[in-house]
Structures are given as structure tokens and as C-alpha cells.
Amino acid sequence: MQRLKCFLIWLLLLEGQAFEIPTNGVSEFAEYDNLVELAPDKLQFVPENRRHQLLATMWVLRTEPGSSAHVSFKPTVAQQRKCSNCSETAVDGELVVVYDVNREDTTGKLEVFNGYFVHFFAPENLEPIPKNILFVIDVSGSMWGIKMKQTVEAMKTILDDLRTEDQFSVVDFNHNVRTWRNDLVSATKTQTADAKRYIEKIQPSGGTNINEALLRAIFILNEANNLGLLDPSSVSLIILVSDGDPTVGELKLSKIQKNVKQNIQDNISLFSLGIGFDVDYDFLKRLSNENRGIAQRIYGNQDTSSQLKKFYNQVSTPLLRNVQFNYPQASVTDVTQNSFHNYFGGSEILVAGRFDPSKITEVESIVTATSTNTELVLETLSQMDDLEDFLSKDKHADPDFTKKLWAYLTINQLLAERSLAPTAAIKRKITKTILQMSLEHHIVTPLTAMVIENDAGDERMLADAPPQDHSCCSGALYYGSKVASGSIPSWANPSPTPVMAMLAVGAKPLESTPPPHVIRVENDPHFIIYLPKSQKNICFNIDSKPGKILSLVSDPELGILVNGQLIGAKKPENGKLSTYFGKLGFYFQHENMKIEISTETITLSHGSSASRLSWSDTAHVANQRVLVSVKKGRSVTLTLDKEMSFSVLLHRVWKKHPVNVDFLGIYVPPTNKFSPSTHGLLGQFMHEPKIHIFNERPGKDPAKPEASMEVKGHKLTVTRGLQKDYRTDIVFGTHVPCWFVHNSGKGFIDGNYRDYIVPQLYSFLKWP
């Protein structure tokens, strides 16, 4: 059975989040060991099929120390019999092992190898988007009994899971169509409780009028949208639950499909759940695929309730809308579906394509999407590994995995297109392509079969493709479309800011020369204040304690603040514990937006919603007047109205360094856009004080002359020295000459540095 084993291992690696073992009377089953790097507590073994409970003695799950697991499935031939007295052997179901892998804290990963690429997209740290959801439930006579009981139980749980910002209603139908509410209502506890009471009283009877029920649900959503009752950033969903074909009203399936297509608006997704085997599942798939959703079969048994709830969990948390993957390089071709209506939390989108390795060795991707009140751009530039590097990543690495996964995605998407083909000629053309690719890449499809042969060559078995189950397969939740890679929305081209150039769309990352004169804070922390009128750089240090929060910019009139929290080095050096900025908080009060930047993550909060970006991403996020641009592993630039900007640099140190820690630097160009009431350690210098530097003379250190400086009624002794600007050279920096003010800037800053300590990261400075 070695050949079957190899095929199943490949199938496991292909599916990503789950794999199925077809159990068709085989007397020996392969074992799986150390195939993936498992995420902690993310391995779930499901020892049951969809219609029959498997005996527990058939399988063994053993978790190994570390991140490995060993799964063994070895039912005897007797255990596989359809019944105790049956001679036929074939367990009527499949074994499913669900797992997840350890993921980096990033929004996606682009694997590039051997002329093919695969883009894995699974962001998690985003605020859920409000949803408008219509449940359309079949209550015809065929739903009587266990089906209806299980559906009611599932709906009660689903309604409890709705968020208060969601809107919903319920449509139930047999030969007639009824609604719990004729319009959408907020999912308050009172409303959901009333909806549960309504569902509990349903008594199944009569025929099945699917056409009228769907048109009623579509009308409710369309009307609410036309009247402006829906949040513009929300997601609209229809979930149809039915166990049979139409018997009342419009009976022609193609006509129902046409009616739905003509009436449903582009912002609505239709998901169909077919209970049992009396329903035309192919019709439900066509119906949903045409309208930005998917269909799923629900097996009508004691497990119906959990299957319904499991499906709802997949679509319960929309995180992004209008997700589009762009690969602007001309050498990238044959990209799979790359435009998706929605992205749901806990799922994953896969996009694959080909490229010419003789022309490019790295692939660029630009993902655009819309979150809650936020436009998002994510950029990735991934270099192709050579064979040695690729194989060194994992002892089970398959050099052809990108090619196989591209072929698998392409074939499955062609199968979906085939089911929607408008003419016989187009269907034949698609069928021919599927057959060619299936044979070339050795993939079993509904149009092909696999011959299994034992090692001796004297026994053969014909295996058809296992039935597709959208509940198990990574990326299967999404049926998208193809768009040209160059069709990037206009908002996805962020304008360059005065501090740091944005990444050019469609080109390699570029950086323009930053302005030579800025106000900045680096290292321990070193403040460098550039005074434009005097054309002088004035420096000072702040010697405070770890955990203290310093006010950098505080403008209560404009509602803008920047505060920084100090962290300490790992241990003192030469009797002194160095401190650095480990966290920065930006608050734009009028936009109700807070941005927290640490050495680990970038968190954006808008009102009660929050999302998080990683330093592993290159991204642009537009929210009203604020643009946030993250350059992978290097910098964050915040721009307000294209007039006011702040730039934050990330400094990474060797993790095992005995003293140093990662820290942040901040750069602010002088501007007259702040109000006269602006204050803070940096803010007070937005309105330049007069200074006079004179009597330059040799200092104690011959390399550091001294001088006298008059400022704010004080006469200070300052020392000439050099500080670092890291904007163009993040490692070594560029020397900047400045006059250094001793004693934590005393006399140059207003008051004492302790006056600038604030209680919270988003507290405005209350100046004495």
C-alpha cells in the first residue's frame, strides 16, 4: 500500500487545515507522523463520519513531545463492513483530522519556488465587521421530526452568538413565505429572545417555495440598503437552509437561479445549506457560487445541529470586504481567483500563480481590502529559494508543492466554472482543460479516477475522487473571481509623505531622501531639536525610569497627542541603566483614533473597534484623514491630512545581547500646523524660541568645544557633539552635529522634565 500512502500524504499537505482518508474497503491504512509543525492545542481528531459512528478501536492519536502528533487509522476488514451481516466492505464515510500549523504574526505568507508561487492569507488581528444577516429556513413537511428539532437547536445557539452591532431577521417558508420581522432589527438580547420563541413554535408542513423565500429575503436587504439603513462598512449575508427541491411556485431551477441573480445586489452573499440527499446539491452550489457564497451539504442525522453551527461559525466573523490580490509584475501569469467579496475570521484564502524564473527571482504582491471604516493595503516581496534552502526548511518539504497546489486550486476553480458554463461549447472547453491538467499533475477529479496497485502488481483497485466537503478544506469557503493584476483601486496608491516615501505600487520598495532637518528622539532617549530660523540642532537627554510615560506632543486644541513609554536595558552598564522608548501612543481625538506602536506590533483603534498589524508586514491603512504606512521591519509613518506627519523607526538588537533591547525612535518635521497651545518635550518647539549661541571655546574634551547659549531667559553652557540620524541607515546611522544641553535639557525645555510625565499613554499634558 505504499503508493496509496504517498498519495494520502500529498493530499494532507495539500489541504492545509484538514485531510480525508477515503475508507473504501482497504485492508491496510497508512500512518502519519511528523508531517506538519502543529500549533499548540490546534489538533482535533474527529473519529466519526457523516452518517455512521466509527469504532474507537479503529484509530489511535498520540501527541509527541514538542509539536508533533502521530495518527494511526487501521480498521479491520470486519470493522469496515456496512453491517454485521453484510459481505460488502466499505465504511460509508471518511476520517477527518483537523489541525492548524504554527503561524507567524503576519497577515500572509508568499511561498515562491520553482516557477510557481502560493499566497497564504489569514489575518486574525482585525476588528469584526458588522453583518446584516437573513436566515431563510425551510419548514416544509419534509423537515418534520429530527431535522426541524436539530435546526431549531442550532438557530437558538446561532442567534445567541450574534453581536449587538449586527442586524438580522428570519424568513421561514413552506408553500407560503413568512417573516419574523419585515425588516432588519438589531441583535439585542430582547430581539434574539423573541426570534428564538418564534422559531420554537414552527410546525413543519406543506410544500417548498424556494424562489419566493429567497426573493423575499433579497427584498428586505435591498430595501434596507436603498433606504440607507445599513452601515456602509457592513457585510450582508443570506443563509438558506433547505432539505428538498421546490414543489410550489417556480419549479424550474434555472429560472430560480436567474431570478435570484437579477434581484440580488452586489453587496450580498448567498450561502446555501442542503440537508440530506433529497435536495439538488448541484443547484445550491450554482446558486451560491453565482452570488458570492458557497454551498455545503448537511447530513441529516443526530449531528445536524452541530453541522449547522459549525458552518455558521465559519461566516460569523467577517473581517474584510472586497479583498483583491494583485501581482503587478509582467512575468507573473496564470493566477488563480484573486478577488474575493469577503474574508471571514478563522479561515484562509489561497491564491497561486506562475512566474518566469529566468526573468524575476522575487514575486511582489499587493493586497487591497476594506475593514471597519478602514482601507487596507498589504505589500509583500518574496524571493525564490534555491533548492538547498527550500529543503532545509522542512525534512518533509516537497520541491513541487507550489506547482501541485497551483494545479489543485486551478482545477477546482475550473470545476466550479464548468458548473456555471452558459453554453455546451464552453463547458466542453473547460472539461478538456480539466482533463489535461488532471493527467499532467496526477490529481483525481470527478472526471477522472485513480488506480491503486499493490507492490506485487497483481491487485488493483479503482478509487474515485472523494466527495468535496467545503467544511474541511482550507480556502474552500471562498468562491472568488479573477481580475487583472493591474486593476489596483485608486486609494491603494498612498501619497508620499514629507518624512518617508511610500512603497511604489508596481515596483520594488524605494525610499526618497528624507528631509534633512527634523525633530527626533533616539537611543537613551536622545532628543535632537532642529530650529529652522537659527538653523541649529540642539540636543538633550532625559534620564527617567522604565515605565514612565513622557508627553512628546500635546495639542488639546487640535486634539492631537504623542506620548512615549520608557523601557529599560537588561541591566545597568557603568552604573547607569539606559532607557529607551519601547512604546509610542498617537491620539487623533477628532478622528476618535488611537495608534499604539510597540517594538512588537502596531495597534489601530477607532472607537470601540481595533485591529493590529505586525512589523513583519508592509501595509498602508487609510482611515478618514489618517494614513498609516508600515514598512516591513523598519518604520511606521503616520500622516494627517497629508500635512502633518510622524515617523517611527524600529531598532532591533541581537536577542541574546546582554544589555541592549529593541527600541523605537520618532522623527517629526517642524511644522506650523499645530495650534499655539501645543506643548510637550517636542511640541513646545513647533513654535521656535529665540536662541543665541556665542563664546565658543575649547571644552574639557578637545573634540567637544563648549559655548554659551541664551534661551528663554537662561544662560546655559552647551557642548558641541554628534548624534545619529537613522532614517537613511538603520544600522549605523548618519552623524548629525548639535549643541548638547546638560541636566535633562534644563533651561532649554520649559520647567523640569518631570513636568512632562503623564499617567496614561493617551493622556494630554496638563501644563502648570
Side-chain angles (χ1 to χ4, degrees):
M1 300 303 297
Q2 186 64 29
R3 297 184 187 184
L4 174 61
K5 177 179 178 180
C6 292
F7 172 77
L8 293 177
I9 288 175
W10 174 80
L11 181 64
L12 165 61
L13 294 177
L14 186 67
E15 292 293 349
Q17 285 188 326
F19 69 92
E20 299 177 5
I21 302 176
T23 55
N24 39 355
V26 181
S27 60
E28 181 181 349
F29 288 79
E31 298 183 3
Y32 303 87
D33 191 13
N34 296 324
L35 289 176
V36 291
E37 182 188 3
L38 297 173
D41 303 320
K42 287 291 187 179
L43 177 66
Q44 176 191 1
F45 187 77
V46 188
E48 60 186 38
N49 60 40
R50 295 295 186 259
R51 276 166 283 176
H52 304 284
Q53 186 73 26
L54 295 178
L55 296 175
T57 55
M58 294 182 187
W59 60 272
V60 177
L61 171 64
R62 185 174 72 252
T63 303
E64 306 290 349
S67 59
S68 300
H70 181 94
V71 179
S72 176
F73 181 59
K74 291 185 176 181
T76 64
V77 173
Q79 288 171 328
Q80 296 179 61
R81 295 188 191 283
K82 289 186 176 180
C83 63
S84 58
N85 299 323
C86 296
S87 59
E88 296 180 1
T89 62
V91 176
D92 193 8
E94 62 273 339
L95 173 71
V96 178
V97 177
V98 181
Y99 68 91
D100 202 354
V101 297
N102 274 329
R103 302 178 188 274
E104 295 179 4
D105 188 14
T106 178
T107 53
K109 188 173 184 180
L110 189 60
E111 293 282 0
V112 180
F113 186 70
N114 207 21
Y116 294 84
F117 70 87
V118 180
H119 197 159
F120 301 91
F121 185 76
E124 296 180 349
N125 301 309
L126 299 170
E127 185 71 16
I129 296 174
K131 58 183 178 290
N132 317 298
I133 187 166
L134 261 294
F135 299 98
V136 182
I137 304 172
D138 183 349
V139 296
S140 60
S142 59
M143 287 286 288
W144 181 267
I146 189 66
K147 289 182 185 177
M148 196 67 231
K149 181 180 178 181
Q150 293 274 308
T151 300
V152 170
E153 289 305 308
M155 283 302 304
K156 289 164 66 176
T157 301
I158 288 170
L159 291 172
D160 283 336
D161 286 342
L162 292 173
R163 300 178 179 86
T164 54
E165 61 267 24
D166 295 336
Q167 297 188 88
F168 79 105
S169 189
V170 179
V171 176
D172 62 295
F173 69 97
N174 44 30
H175 52 283
N176 295 317
V177 177
R178 295 170 295 276
T179 56
W180 166 67
R181 293 283 187 271
N182 290 324
D183 49 16
L184 294 167
V185 299
S186 296
T188 63
K189 290 184 177 180
T190 301
Q191 296 288 12
T192 55
D194 188 67
K196 285 189 285 185
R197 287 191 292 269
Y198 175 84
I199 293 171
E200 287 174 336
K201 294 177 182 178
I202 292 175
Q203 296 294 321
S205 64
T208 306
N209 193 345
I210 292 179
N211 182 72
E212 189 64 31
L214 286 175
L215 292 182
R216 179 74 62 85
I218 291 169
F219 173 80
I220 292 173
L221 281 171
N222 287 350
E223 188 74 2
N225 188 49
N226 295 338
L227 293 174
L229 301 177
L230 304 184
D231 184 337
S233 65
S234 64
V235 166
S236 296
L237 311 173
I238 295 175
I239 297 182
L240 168 67
V241 181
S242 180
D243 75 333
D245 291 340
T247 60
V248 178
E250 182 57 62
L251 303 181
K252 193 174 181 181
L253 300 182
S254 60
K255 180 62 175 176
I256 297 175
Q257 196 174 330
K258 183 179 180 181
N259 289 343
V260 171
K261 183 69 174 175
Q262 287 179 342
N263 286 275
I264 197 167
Q265 293 183 356
D266 291 341
N267 63 332
I268 301 173
S269 295
L270 171 61
F271 295 90
S272 303
L273 303 179
I275 300 179
F277 292 89
D278 295 329
V279 68
D280 190 328
Y281 186 57
D282 288 337
F283 162 65
L284 294 183
K285 286 198 294 185
R286 292 193 301 272
L287 190 65
S288 293
N289 288 349
E290 266 197 338
N291 298 287
R292 297 160 294 280
I294 62 132
Q296 182 172 309
R297 189 186 296 279
I298 301 295
Y299 295 90
N301 57 19
Q302 297 290 336
D303 193 40
T304 297
S305 179
S306 65
Q307 292 177 64
L308 289 169
K309 287 184 284 188
K310 180 181 177 182
F311 173 81
Y312 172 75
N313 288 338
Q314 294 180 81
V315 299
S316 64
T317 312
L319 297 181
L320 294 172
R321 297 183 296 116
N322 304 324
V323 186
Q324 184 173 316
F325 295 76
N326 301 277
Y327 305 93
Q329 293 155 303
S331 296
V332 172
T333 59
D334 298 322
V335 177
T336 58
Q337 291 173 356
N338 63 329
S339 182
F340 302 89
H341 193 61
N342 297 312
Y343 166 76
F344 298 95
S347 63
E348 184 175 56
I349 295 178
L350 267 66
V351 180
R354 304 171 67 179
F355 66 96
D356 187 345
S358 67
K359 294 182 179 179
I360 57 174
T361 58
E362 54 188 12
V363 173
E364 180 187 5
S365 73
I366 302 172
V367 182
T368 61
T370 303
S371 177
T372 307
N373 301 312
T374 301
E375 307 289 1
L376 182 67
V377 186
L378 300 168
E379 301 183 32
T380 303
L381 192 67
S382 187
Q383 185 139 0
M384 182 176 69
D385 291 330
D386 58 31
L387 182 59
E388 184 177 344
D389 290 338
F390 178 82
L391 293 176
S392 67
K393 290 181 178 180
D394 191 328
K395 63 180 180 180
H396 299 288
D398 179 1
D400 289 328
F401 97 95
T402 50
K403 179 181 179 181
K404 289 176 180 177
L405 191 45
W406 168 80
Y408 176 81
L409 289 174
T410 302
I411 288 172
N412 277 278
Q413 291 171 9
L414 285 172
L415 286 169
E417 291 176 20
R418 181 178 179 270
S419 69
L420 299 174
T423 66
I426 294 176
K427 189 171 185 177
R428 285 194 299 270
K429 183 179 179 181
I430 296 174
T431 301
K432 183 179 179 181
T433 303
I434 293 172
L435 288 172
Q436 288 175 340
M437 291 191 66
S438 299
L439 296 174
E440 179 183 352
H441 298 282
H442 310 291
I443 295 175
V444 183
T445 72
L447 308 178
T448 58
M450 178 178 67
V451 176
I452 304 172
E453 185 180 278
N454 65 357
D455 291 334
D458 57 2
E459 184 180 347
R460 290 185 177 182
M461 181 181 295
L462 189 66
D464 294 326
Q468 290 182 317
D469 181 357
H470 288 295
S471 68
C472 74
C473 304
S474 173
L477 185 61
Y478 300 98
Y479 181 76
S481 60
K482 291 185 179 182
V483 297
S485 287
S487 55
I488 302 172
S490 58
W491 62 264
N493 294 277
S495 302
T497 70
V499 176
M500 195 77 70
M502 299 297 104
L503 295 184
V505 174
K508 294 181 179 179
L510 299 175
E511 183 175 316
S512 66
T513 302
H517 304 300
V518 294
I519 297 173
R520 71 205 78 165
V521 188
E522 286 283 7
N523 288 334
D524 184 22
H526 300 311
F527 289 74
I528 308 175
I529 309 298
Y530 175 69
L531 303 176
K533 295 177 182 177
S534 306
Q535 296 187 351
K536 302 288 186 184
N537 285 309
I538 310 298
C539 306
F540 60 92
N541 293 348
I542 295 294
D543 295 320
S544 191
K545 297 179 180 180
K548 297 296 184 182
I549 300 172
L550 300 177
S551 172
L552 303 179
V553 178
S554 181
D555 188 343
E557 187 175 327
L558 293 183
I560 298 172
L561 73 76
V562 183
N563 292 334
Q565 186 171 31
L566 297 173
I567 57 173
K570 295 177 182 177
K571 63 180 181 180
E573 196 172 31
N574 298 324
K576 179 181 181 297
L577 180 68
S578 297
T579 55
Y580 312 86
F581 280 123
K583 185 183 296 183
L584 293 167
F586 296 82
Y587 182 28
F588 302 100
Q589 191 175 38
H590 298 328
E591 285 69 35
N592 195 20
M593 188 170 185
K594 298 175 180 177
I595 301 166
E596 180 182 306
I597 302 176
S598 73
T599 57
E600 301 300 326
T601 58
I602 302 101
T603 303
L604 291 75
S605 302
H606 186 269
S608 60
S609 65
S611 57
R612 195 169 73 199
L613 296 173
S614 165
W615 281 104
S616 299
D617 298 316
T618 291
H620 308 290
V621 180
N623 190 313
Q624 299 184 40
R625 299 162 56 210
V626 181
L627 174 65
V628 181
S629 296
V630 183
K631 189 171 182 180
K632 180 178 178 179
R634 179 174 181 130
S635 65
V636 178
T637 301
L638 289 75
T639 308
L640 179 65
D641 283 339
K642 299 182 181 181
E643 296 179 337
M644 190 181 296
S645 64
F646 308 87
S647 185
V648 177
L649 265 60
L650 173 66
H651 295 268
R652 291 284 192 213
V653 301
W654 181 42
K655 290 187 179 296
K656 295 183 180 180
H657 194 285
V659 178
N660 295 342
V661 294
D662 295 345
F663 66 94
L664 303 172
I666 179 170
Y667 294 73
V668 186
T671 176
N672 58 3
K673 300 299 181 180
F674 288 100
S675 75
S677 61
T678 304
H679 216 281
L681 287 168
L682 299 180
Q684 63 186 292
F685 299 106
M686 297 301 169
H687 304 285
E688 182 177 339
K690 293 181 179 180
I691 67 166
H692 176 50
I693 297 176
F694 60 98
N695 190 23
E696 186 172 340
R697 54 196 180 272
K700 297 178 182 178
D701 184 342
K704 297 180 179 181
E706 293 181 351
S708 298
M709 181 174 74
E710 292 179 346
V711 58
K712 298 180 179 180
H714 303 285
K715 184 177 180 181
L716 310 174
T717 297
V718 293
T719 304
R720 187 73 165 172
L722 296 173
Q723 294 290 359
K724 293 286 188 73
D725 184 332
Y726 290 93
R727 288 174 298 159
T728 56
D729 189 336
I730 194 69
V731 177
F732 299 105
T734 303
H735 285 298
V736 176
C738 70
W739 289 102
F740 185 80
V741 181
H742 302 273
N743 299 321
S744 295
K746 185 178 181 180
F748 181 60
I749 62 173
D750 295 336
N752 186 282
Y753 83 88
R754 295 183 183 85
D755 299 331
Y756 297 87
I757 296 175
V758 293
Q760 304 292 334
L761 192 61
Y762 299 108
S763 299
F764 281 96
L765 177 66
K766 296 181 179 179
W767 189 249

